[in-house]
Amino acid sequence: MNPAKRYEMFVRFRAANPKPETELEYTTPFELLIAVLLSAQATDVGVNKATRKLYPVANTPQAMLDLGEEELKTYIQTIGLYKTKAKNVMSTCRMLVELHGGEVPRDRASLEALPGVGRKTANVVMNTAFGEPTMAVDTHIFRVANRTGLAPGKNVDIVEQKLLKFVPKEFLQDAHHWLILHGRYTCKARKPECWNCMQRDLCDYRSKTPAPDGV
Ligand code: SF4
């Protein structure tokens, strides 16, 4: 995909959705961090359902420690891998209290040192809570970047680097939300809705899905 097409792609994303946001519900950086940590291999809808009950009871690291691991599990047991996640949430809260005064750190190294927090989670928190132009490449972004030709790459690290290089600066802050939403609702994994896609004429994907009968 050439630079003019890339630019036009983001102009269209912005026109359709000027202020894209994560679908995870949160009100503080800590709530976002825990929601992202819980969302690995789970849906945002499932995580929101759990955190809507959990956060009124515990939405600070100290409150989470006071709640305790066993009690935390009762709130998140509908989420996949909840036992491991409960352990990680507790260890993370302990580190936040002991090393960061109960606050979520803003820098990548400190975030990635937290149990259960990898590069992707750190990128989401840095971008969404602190406004850094990072690119958290998840399965949706990886697929969209490759299919469209926007930033093709064999693994998420290559795609992340290419997106950081190729996405025009003015769109970088919001790009990851637009690409996730596009992958989730239009450029779907099994059957992309190409007939319904605003990027159709810009996209390099050769096997575009034809419109179903009657559309
Ligand atoms: S045209 Fe199809 S493959 Fe290309 S971005 Fe749209 S939905 Fe995805």
Side-chain angles (χ1 to χ4, degrees), residues 48-203:
N48 289 339
K49 231 184 215 168
T51 57
R52 267 179 221 150
K53 290 192 179 140
L54 172 64
Y55 289 159
V57 181
N59 76 338
T60 65
Q62 189 58 56
M64 203 66 84
L65 291 173
D66 294 344
L67 184 70
E69 190 173 325
E70 289 312 308
E71 192 62 18
L72 169 61
K73 282 185 196 163
T74 65
Y75 287 92
I76 64 170
Q77 61 193 359
T78 50
I79 300 173
L81 309 174
Y82 76 96
K83 288 182 188 160
T84 309
K85 289 175 181 175
K87 226 180 239 4
N88 285 336
V89 167
M90 284 302 158
S91 308
T92 283
C93 287
R94 217 163 286 125
M95 282 180 72
L96 291 177
V97 168
E98 288 170 5
L99 302 177
H100 302 287
E103 300 290 330
V104 176
R106 288 171 168 249
D107 65 288
R108 178 182 301 286
S110 302
L111 281 166
E112 289 187 10
L114 298 169
V117 177
R119 186 172 179 87
K120 197 187 85 181
T121 300
N123 276 334
V124 173
V125 172
M126 287 166 74
N127 176 281
T128 307
F130 300 128
E132 298 283 341
T134 58
M135 191 64 62
V137 178
D138 72 348
T139 173
H140 297 300
I141 296 188
F142 184 73
R143 184 175 67 252
V144 171
N146 272 294
R147 259 189 198 154
T148 57
L150 173 67
K154 276 201 285 252
N155 60 49
V156 292
D157 291 338
I158 295 174
V159 169
E160 179 182 331
Q161 293 315 317
K162 282 198 181 175
L163 284 169
L164 288 171
K165 194 165 146 202
F166 293 154
V167 174
K169 286 242 165 351
E170 66 184 282
F171 302 114
L172 210 44
Q173 167 68 34
D174 291 323
H176 110 260
H177 291 313
W178 284 319
L179 293 170
I180 285 177
L181 294 171
H182 190 62
R184 198 174 276 168
Y185 297 111
T186 306
C187 195
K188 298 174 185 173
R190 288 213 194 123
K191 199 173 178 194
E193 297 187 4
C194 303
W195 73 90
N196 195 23
C197 176
M198 64 175 159
Q199 310 293 4
R200 189 185 161 86
D201 57 316
L202 305 175
C203 166

Side-chain angles (χ1 to χ4, degrees), residues 13-31:
F13 279 139
R14 182 172 61 190
N17 184 4
K19 289 215 175 307
E21 285 178 6
T22 172
E23 293 187 315
L24 288 171
E25 294 170 3
Y26 73 98
T27 58
T28 62
F30 176 72
E31 287 188 2

